[in-house]
Amino acid sequence: ERVEINSGNKDYITDGRLIINCKGNELAYCPVCKGRDMEIPEFVRKIQANAFSGTQYEEIRFPKKEPEISADAFRGSKWLDMQKGAVVIGTMLYRVPEDMQELVVPRHVRRFHPEVLKGCHALKKLVTPILPLGRDIENLERWGRCSSLTITSETACINIALLRKWHSLEEVVVADGHKKYRTLDGVLYSRDGRILVWYPAGRTGEIFTVPEGVKKIGEFAFENQGYLRKIL
């Protein structure tokens, strides 16, 4: 019900429930399972692997400034077992079930945990306010074949160079009124429709007709496209 550490210990401190590395403000372990809820102190900057393994807390409250959290920090905890679907901590997407086929990321999410998309072999459609980073796209490519991307934020920054690395993507859809781009039938164009910016590499059609009004084909617009045989 309570843990104590000698006052002369140079490596760790405790508040009675948590063991914390005093040098790096890292939460190392929670050996106490008393009560149904836990509040992580504001000064914690990192939560180590297996820190909450075996704990029975039903609710865990996190600091406003989100700490760095190991992908395995809550493995074997009741709190994680109680979470349904995708798990969001503050503004971070923390965990996604491996069997999820369509992931809808809440609009307030601003970043993905570095390992959140590892093992997502079933994911086919991603709906998100932000474009995944290069590491996330690599994980999607490695673990499965996510073929559909929808960007829900009108102000989202869209890095075309990253999209070119997403070889399994068959369609991209951006929010109506996006500040820079628009989409038609899964293909990305400039906002005014005059530039064809990017044609997804995973599209399997052999013939593509460029829409009227397009005046320019963007640089590397068809890079890594292996199915097209004719462009009209």
Side-chain angles (χ1 to χ4, degrees):
E1 293 187 357
R2 180 175 176 81
V3 62
E4 294 184 6
I5 296 177
N6 291 337
S7 59
N9 193 295
K10 297 181 180 180
D11 298 319
Y12 296 99
I13 59 174
T14 182
D15 63 354
R17 291 203 291 182
L18 302 173
I19 296 178
I20 297 167
N21 182 320
C22 54
K23 293 182 180 179
N25 291 345
E26 298 181 8
L27 197 164
Y29 188 51
C30 177
V32 178
C33 296
K34 183 179 180 180
R36 64 172 299 276
D37 65 306
M38 159 68 69
E39 184 164 348
I40 298 174
E42 290 284 343
F43 63 81
V44 170
R45 292 293 173 260
K46 183 177 181 179
I47 302 177
Q48 297 180 358
N50 301 310
F52 283 87
S53 177
T55 58
Q56 298 299 304
Y57 297 111
E58 298 180 8
E59 180 183 355
I60 297 178
R61 295 185 294 278
F62 297 87
K64 290 182 179 179
K65 186 175 182 179
E66 301 151 20
E68 178 184 342
I69 305 175
S70 165
D72 298 323
F74 299 96
R75 177 175 292 181
S77 69
K78 185 174 182 179
W79 175 80
L80 188 59
D81 290 341
M82 291 178 64
Q83 307 304 308
K84 304 301 180 183
V87 179
V88 176
I89 296 177
T91 61
M92 176 181 66
L93 180 67
Y94 175 68
R95 179 177 176 270
V96 176
E98 291 184 359
D99 60 350
M100 179 171 282
Q101 296 186 23
E102 180 176 341
L103 171 60
V104 179
V105 180
R107 286 184 65 89
H108 72 278
V109 166
R110 293 294 175 264
R111 64 189 180 101
F112 292 175
H113 187 279
E115 300 184 47
V116 69
L117 297 176
K118 281 188 176 181
C120 292
H121 55 82
L123 190 63
K124 302 299 181 186
K125 183 175 184 179
L126 175 61
V127 181
T128 171
I130 58 174
L131 181 69
L133 297 178
R135 66 167 187 242
D136 305 313
I137 293 175
E138 289 176 3
N139 282 328
L140 288 172
E141 291 281 279
R142 180 181 299 115
W143 294 100
R145 186 175 171 82
C146 184
S147 58
S148 176
L149 170 68
T150 297
I151 302 292
T152 57
S153 172
E154 299 85 354
T155 59
C157 179
I158 299 178
N159 187 325
I160 306 302
L162 287 181
L163 287 179
R164 295 192 193 110
K165 297 179 180 180
W166 199 331
H167 299 166
S168 65
L169 199 62
E170 298 179 19
E171 67 169 3
V172 59
V173 179
V174 300
D176 290 339
H178 187 273
K179 61 180 181 179
K180 194 171 182 179
Y181 300 108
R182 60 179 291 192
T183 47
L184 177 64
D185 191 29
V187 180
L188 190 66
Y189 300 87
S190 59
R191 183 174 179 176
D192 61 9
R194 295 170 63 87
I195 303 174
L196 193 160
V197 177
W198 183 65
Y199 185 95
R203 293 179 73 89
T204 58
E206 295 187 356
I207 300 175
F208 174 67
T209 301
V210 178
E212 291 186 16
V214 172
K215 304 299 181 183
K216 179 180 179 180
I217 304 296
E219 188 175 18
F220 303 115
F222 291 92
E223 185 178 19
N224 295 317
Q225 223 301 317
Y227 298 95
L228 277 176
R229 295 294 178 265
K230 183 182 294 186
I231 298 176
L232 305 174

